[in-house]
């Protein structure tokens, strides 16, 4: 999973980046609000943002307002202001949580993990029971995959999990680490080869059942996706 850290104080960005990476997450960095919005617009795989309020060019509250127009990414705000009105204002704008400077990095990481868990739970609750992707019909509750002509595609639980993850986020590229964390539900402590082997088996079964349809695609050096047009 990937976290965007936004603060005009580079020491704070570097400190938080160390803690975030130690927990196994990827980090993107920005040093003002304008750069943060650019990062979010060019990187759809960001899962959470840690955002300072007082910054040059575009402040944190304006960033929240802009982001909330089309995204529900979890936002944890940082501020040197202790006045409750700032906290209330930030949360009304759409932030999810708030930490006052100076902060304990361990507290920040505890808040980050809590927000990510809540976000993943919400996403799971919103997942549709049935998806149609290319020649496939994917049924979540029964773990069935059928072709459009009614033939069954026999998949293992992990293969089904990979297919459902990719199909429920069409056109989004997932790295091998992200797939492992979401499907295996563990932190990624294995090589990308484990995921690659399961994706390969999944592809073979789909292509055999559909007469060669390439539903799962590789984005070399990045990860895997299911593309829709």
């Amino acid at each position: 999973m990937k976290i965007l850290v936004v603060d005009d104080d580079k020491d704070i960005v570097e400190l938080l980046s160390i803690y975030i990476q130690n927990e196994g997450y990827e980090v993107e960095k920005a040093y003002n609000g304008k750069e943060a919005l650019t990062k979010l617009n060019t990187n759809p795989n960001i899962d959470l943002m840690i955002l300072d309020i007082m910054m040059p060019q575009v402040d944190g509250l304006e960033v929240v307002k802009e982001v909330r127009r089309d995204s529900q990414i979890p936002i944890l705000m940082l501020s040197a202001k202790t006045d409750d009105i700032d906290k209330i204002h930030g949360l009304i704008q759409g932030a999810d949580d708030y930490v006052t400077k100076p902060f304990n990095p361990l507290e920040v990481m505890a808040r980050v993990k809590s927000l990510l868990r809540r976000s993943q739970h919400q996403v799971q609750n919103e997942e549709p029971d049935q998806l149609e992707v290319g020649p496939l019909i994917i049924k979540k509750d029964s773990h069935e995959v059928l072709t459009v002509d009614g033939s069954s595609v026999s998949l293992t639980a992990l293969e089904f999990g990979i297919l459902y993850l990719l199909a429920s986020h069409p056109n989004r590229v997932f790295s091998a680490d992200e797939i492992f964390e979401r499907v295996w539900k563990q932190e990624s402590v294995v090589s990308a080869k484990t995921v690659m082997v399961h994706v390969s088996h999944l592809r073979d079964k789909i292509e055999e059942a559909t007469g060669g349809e390439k539903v799962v695609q590789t984005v070399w050096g990045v990860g895997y996706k299911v593309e829709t047009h």
Side-chain angles (χ1 to χ4, degrees), residues 47-112:
D47 297 287
L48 179 144
M49 176 166 56
I50 300 174
L51 177 67
D52 185 34
I53 289 181
M54 299 298 293
M55 293 185 297
Q57 298 189 40
V58 180
D59 70 20
L61 296 178
E62 283 299 315
V63 171
V64 173
K65 187 176 179 180
E66 186 68 27
V67 168
R68 283 294 177 253
R69 290 181 179 179
D70 57 10
S71 173
Q72 293 303 312
I73 179 176
I75 299 174
L76 173 62
M77 301 204 77
L78 306 176
S79 178
K81 295 184 176 182
T82 57
D83 195 331
D84 281 346
I85 194 65
D86 292 304
K87 177 177 180 179
I88 293 168
H89 192 73
L91 296 176
I92 289 174
Q93 288 283 73
D96 297 279
D97 205 350
Y98 187 99
V99 175
T100 303
K101 298 177 181 177
F103 54 77
N104 182 333
L106 294 176
E107 179 189 357
V108 173
M109 290 311 304
R111 303 280 186 99
V112 164

Side-chain angles (χ1 to χ4, degrees), residues 13-157:
V13 173
E14 292 306 315
L15 174 65
L16 289 175
S17 295
I18 291 170
Y19 278 82
I20 290 167
Q21 289 170 327
N22 283 345
E23 292 291 339
Y25 303 120
E26 297 180 61
V27 179
E28 286 284 340
K29 305 172 186 178
Y31 302 101
N32 59 63
K34 185 177 179 181
E35 187 180 0
L37 291 172
T38 299
K39 291 270 188 181
L40 287 168
N41 289 332
T42 57
N43 194 333
N45 293 341
I46 290 173
D47 297 287
L48 179 144
M49 176 166 56
I50 300 174
L51 177 67
D52 185 34
I53 289 181
M54 299 298 293
M55 293 185 297
Q57 298 189 40
V58 180
D59 70 20
L61 296 178
E62 283 299 315
V63 171
V64 173
K65 187 176 179 180
E66 186 68 27
V67 168
R68 283 294 177 253
R69 290 181 179 179
D70 57 10
S71 173
Q72 293 303 312
I73 179 176
I75 299 174
L76 173 62
M77 301 204 77
L78 306 176
S79 178
K81 295 184 176 182
T82 57
D83 195 331
D84 281 346
I85 194 65
D86 292 304
K87 177 177 180 179
I88 293 168
H89 192 73
L91 296 176
I92 289 174
Q93 288 283 73
D96 297 279
D97 205 350
Y98 187 99
V99 175
T100 303
K101 298 177 181 177
F103 54 77
N104 182 333
L106 294 176
E107 179 189 357
V108 173
M109 290 311 304
R111 303 280 186 99
V112 164
K113 290 178 181 178
S114 176
L115 288 175
L116 287 173
R117 282 195 301 269
R118 187 194 311 169
S119 175
Q120 288 179 321
H121 179 70
Q122 289 172 344
V123 168
Q124 288 170 357
N125 287 343
E126 294 169 2
E127 290 175 346
D129 177 48
Q130 181 168 304
L131 297 169
E132 295 186 20
V133 179
L136 300 177
I137 300 168
I138 305 164
K139 298 185 176 183
K140 179 188 176 187
D141 288 346
S142 60
H143 273 225
E144 288 182 281
V145 179
L146 305 173
T147 63
V148 289
D149 63 5
S151 300
S152 177
V153 184
S154 179
L155 301 179
T156 67

